Amino acid sequence: LLAPQFRKDHPGQTENLLIVGLGAGTVSKLYTQVYGSEIHIDGIEIDPQIIQVGRDMFGMNEPNLNAVAEDGRYFLRRTDQTYDVVAVDAYRQPYIPFHLTTREFFEEIQERLADDGIVALNAGRAPNDFRLVEALSRTMRAVFPTVFVIDLPVGYLNSLIFALNSPLPTSEIVQRITENTNPWIKTLADRGIEVRAVESSTGAFTDDLAPVEQVIHQ
């Protein structure tokens, strides 16, 4: 929900969204509620039975949602659509698909991203162990000029990683969150989030070497 707020030319606006890891449709439902039913959403979920469960048991029936049973990276390679926001939520520890964690994967996302588009990624972690977050954010930094992490407060075991095609100072990122009048965004801001910039791409995962299982096991 925060991602459109960080667009350089169209802050707070989005016309289309790609979800890699649709699941039962939580993200698509919230985006439709917050940003309107005119937003086109492509939701990619590798398991067709999960899509059916979403429709039958979780009310995943938004008319603006196009649910596709397919591997997310394969979909990126065959689509010619450009997206304002790409949300990646296909990670379930310890079973993270390595081919959705690499520099080449994020390069393929960048090719399908609007000039001021945003990539938003949800990464789990242990209470005091950010190795997976660091590995993923550094990999994204190898592709995008601006990457920052929002660490959720105590009680949450995940961090949100955002990547932009254009520079955006950390101070402005914080300002766009804390001064936002959208009630949904304000609710998130009131939780006391912290923002930190990612400057290094050292150790970025590639298709040739993406030891995500080792990081998880450690």
Side-chain angles (χ1 to χ4, degrees):
L1 295 179
L2 287 173
Q5 309 301 322
F6 308 129
R7 298 186 66 191
K8 179 181 178 181
D9 300 325
H10 306 89
Q13 301 178 33
T14 180
E15 295 183 358
N16 46 58
L17 164 69
L18 172 64
I19 305 171
V20 180
L22 175 64
T26 300
V27 174
S28 59
K29 187 174 295 295
L30 286 172
Y31 254 84
T32 301
Q33 291 176 0
V34 175
Y35 292 105
S37 58
E38 67 278 5
I39 297 174
H40 174 77
I41 301 175
D42 285 328
I44 315 305
E45 169 57 49
I46 198 168
D47 189 343
Q49 292 185 341
I50 294 298
I51 293 177
Q52 194 61 48
V53 167
R55 288 171 173 159
D56 293 344
M57 304 184 69
F58 291 89
M60 193 179 72
N61 52 15
E62 292 76 30
N64 55 316
L65 171 63
N66 173 40
V68 180
E70 194 166 275
D71 178 87
R73 190 162 174 183
Y74 178 74
F75 178 86
L76 279 168
R77 289 180 174 179
R78 72 175 183 83
T79 186
D80 57 1
Q81 176 69 52
T82 298
Y83 297 95
D84 298 329
V85 176
V86 176
V88 182
D89 197 15
Y91 304 157
R92 180 181 182 275
Q93 299 181 121
Y95 306 109
I96 295 179
F98 87 91
H99 67 294
L100 302 183
T101 69
T102 67
R103 184 187 65 204
E104 290 86 349
F105 169 61
F106 292 111
E107 287 173 344
E108 290 172 5
I109 289 180
Q110 189 180 47
E111 291 178 0
R112 303 265 60 88
L113 203 61
D115 290 342
D116 67 338
I118 309 292
V119 181
L121 186 149
N122 183 31
R125 54 178 169 83
N128 297 300
D129 192 329
F130 288 78
R131 276 179 286 190
L132 178 62
V133 176
E134 294 301 319
L136 294 171
S137 60
R138 290 186 176 199
T139 300
M140 295 168 75
R141 186 63 178 82
V143 178
F144 294 93
T146 300
V147 176
F148 61 93
V149 177
I150 295 180
D151 296 317
L152 300 184
V154 176
Y156 296 89
L157 292 179
N158 62 304
S159 296
L160 305 176
I161 309 173
F162 296 89
L164 292 69
N165 272 324
S166 53
L168 188 67
T170 302
S171 58
E172 186 173 344
I173 293 169
V174 174
Q175 184 179 14
R176 290 190 182 191
I177 299 173
T178 57
E179 296 182 1
N180 202 293
T181 58
N182 184 306
W184 290 81
I185 305 302
K186 190 175 186 305
T187 297
L188 299 174
D190 290 343
R191 294 181 181 176
I193 57 181
E194 298 182 2
V195 180
R196 54 188 175 91
V198 178
E199 304 294 348
S200 174
S201 61
T202 301
F205 288 173
T206 66
D207 282 352
D208 289 335
L209 182 61
V212 65
E213 293 91 350
Q214 293 181 22
V215 173
I216 295 296
H217 292 165
Q218 291 168 5

